[in-house]
Amino acid sequence: MHGVGRRVRGRIAQSHLPPVIGHADWESQNLRWSGGQLYMVHDWDSAVSQPEMQIAGWLTTVFTATRSLPTDATLDETEAFLDAYAVARGRPWSADERLVCWAAGLWVRAFNAKKAAVRGGREQVVERLKVEAAERLRQAGA
């Protein structure tokens, strides 16, 4: 796992895509639904200006978290999120965009694992990253 952050940071830096305004914290407590459709995203201290695929990548790792259960998305959940996001935005990801999505998601996972290792108490975050790091690096082209 050594060097994961450096590798994905390098992959993200290779891409020069335009920034958009977005929301970077789609944990359940920040989302409101109506009739099975996403109605509102709040907690606007999480507003950012970054390339869309970087924001989407961050979201792939936090959308499964709740206030009481801070779980990271699995590989399959990440893939399903990216597919659903592409449908919602009305166009598929380019190959480069998809790599950046995976890299940005892994960046968040590595950050969360480092934080968990220092603070203790969330060993499952570190363990899952150990299991998934190689595949997530492959998906990120890093």
Side-chain angles (χ1 to χ4, degrees):
M1 280 194 358
H2 184 69
V4 168
R6 184 175 32 259
R7 288 172 66 183
V8 294
R9 182 179 60 228
R11 177 63 194 95
I12 293 167
Q14 290 175 17
S15 185
H16 301 287
L17 299 161
V20 299
I21 302 296
H23 191 282
D25 189 359
W26 279 26
E27 290 188 10
S28 66
Q29 65 269 17
N30 298 330
L31 307 175
R32 295 296 174 261
W33 299 85
S34 178
Q37 297 293 315
L38 182 60
Y39 178 70
M40 179 178 64
V41 180
H42 58 89
D43 183 33
W44 282 101
D45 64 333
S46 299
V48 296
S49 175
Q50 293 292 331
E52 179 183 16
M53 61 292 316
Q54 192 169 331
I55 296 169
W58 295 335
L59 302 179
T60 67
T61 196
V62 300
F63 81 100
T64 55
T66 66
R67 192 178 306 274
S68 61
L69 188 61
T71 58
D72 293 326
T74 65
L75 289 163
D76 289 341
E77 289 168 331
T78 297
E79 186 71 39
F81 182 95
L82 289 175
D83 291 345
Y85 189 107
V87 169
R89 78 183 196 146
R91 68 178 179 86
W93 299 108
S94 70
D96 185 51
E97 289 173 333
R98 193 164 194 83
L99 292 172
V100 173
C101 286
W102 279 94
L106 183 50
W107 173 265
V108 172
R109 294 289 298 275
F111 173 79
N112 288 346
K114 183 176 183 177
K115 195 167 50 171
V118 170
R119 290 183 182 167
R122 288 190 58 211
E123 291 79 16
Q124 73 275 16
V125 173
V126 176
E127 292 306 312
R128 182 180 283 166
L129 182 58
K130 284 180 184 178
V131 169
E132 295 182 349
E135 177 59 17
R136 288 184 178 277
L137 284 166
R138 187 185 73 73
Q139 292 283 357

